[in-house]
Amino acid sequence: MKIKKEQDGGRLIAHLQGPLENSFDFERAIGPVKGDLVLACSGVPRINSEGVKAWIQYFESLKKKGTHFSFIECSPAVVQQISAISNFACGGNVISIQVPYVCTKCRHESVVLFETADLKKSGNSVPDAACPKCGGQSVFDDIEEEFFAFLKRS
Ligand SMILES: [Zn+2]
């Protein structure tokens, strides 16, 4: 995994890029955080159990330091962990998530970005979308109760 950092006023935006497949030193990669930390997670295709440990260890320590952090553009792999592991977000706010879709016509797989607040209002379900490849009907491609489980907890 690589992390690209960007200072945006009073907050630090960290773009996570690549799979989180082994122990990863977030502390070193992100460095000192002044103000709030925003994690942009669209570039994370996979997380394994070692990665989960490194993630939780880092964010639990941030929480103890009193740093505010939130997650935006969470890839389906990140959302699956947030939903499956109750303390994965470590108290951070999940602002927006990428929802997996598959086209009923050409089977093309894509993602659609949703704000978590909007999903809560719509009762944790998502509308069909147009396939970006053929324009056909693209539908949600996961198990609703599992994928959106975190929404019911927060
Ligand atoms: Zn299609």
Side-chain angles (χ1 to χ4, degrees):
M1 168 173 282
K2 282 189 177 133
I3 297 186
K4 220 176 80 192
K5 294 183 286 180
E6 175 194 350
Q7 191 68 41
D8 174 43
R11 56 185 200 159
L12 177 68
I13 304 175
H15 297 265
L16 311 188
Q17 288 162 340
L20 182 55
E21 287 183 319
N22 39 41
S23 187
F24 180 76
D25 195 346
F26 280 98
E27 188 87 50
R28 218 178 97 190
I30 294 179
V33 181
K34 286 182 212 137
D36 292 354
L37 176 64
V38 177
L39 291 306
C41 306
S42 65
V44 184
R46 289 181 302 282
I47 302 176
N48 73 1
S49 56
E50 283 299 305
V52 166
K53 267 186 232 162
W55 176 291
I56 291 177
Q57 199 176 37
Y58 175 68
F59 289 107
E60 283 293 341
S61 78
L62 263 194
K63 191 167 92 176
K64 280 191 196 116
K65 284 181 203 157
T67 303
H68 288 127
F69 51 92
S70 56
F71 303 96
I72 62 169
E73 296 159 15
C74 297
S75 68
V78 173
V79 176
Q80 279 157 7
Q81 299 296 348
I82 293 172
S83 273
I85 304 171
S86 61
N87 64 333
F88 191 75
C90 298
N93 204 354
V94 181
I95 308 284
S96 59
I97 64 169
Q98 291 183 326
V99 176
Y101 275 74
V102 65
C103 177
T104 54
K105 221 166 119 189
C106 75
R107 307 305 298 168
H108 176 69
E109 293 176 6
S110 57
V111 293
V112 180
L113 187 69
F114 286 93
E115 299 284 322
T116 306
D118 291 342
L119 289 171
K120 279 185 192 166
K121 272 183 234 154
S122 68
N124 307 344
S125 68
V126 289
D128 294 345
C131 170
K133 207 174 167 193
C134 77
Q137 185 194 34
S138 205
V139 297
F140 174 65
D141 186 27
D142 208 308
I143 300 160
E144 230 167 68
E145 300 82 61
E146 289 179 13
F147 193 78
F148 295 118
F150 79 98
L151 290 170
K152 288 173 195 142
R153 288 198 306 258
S154 50

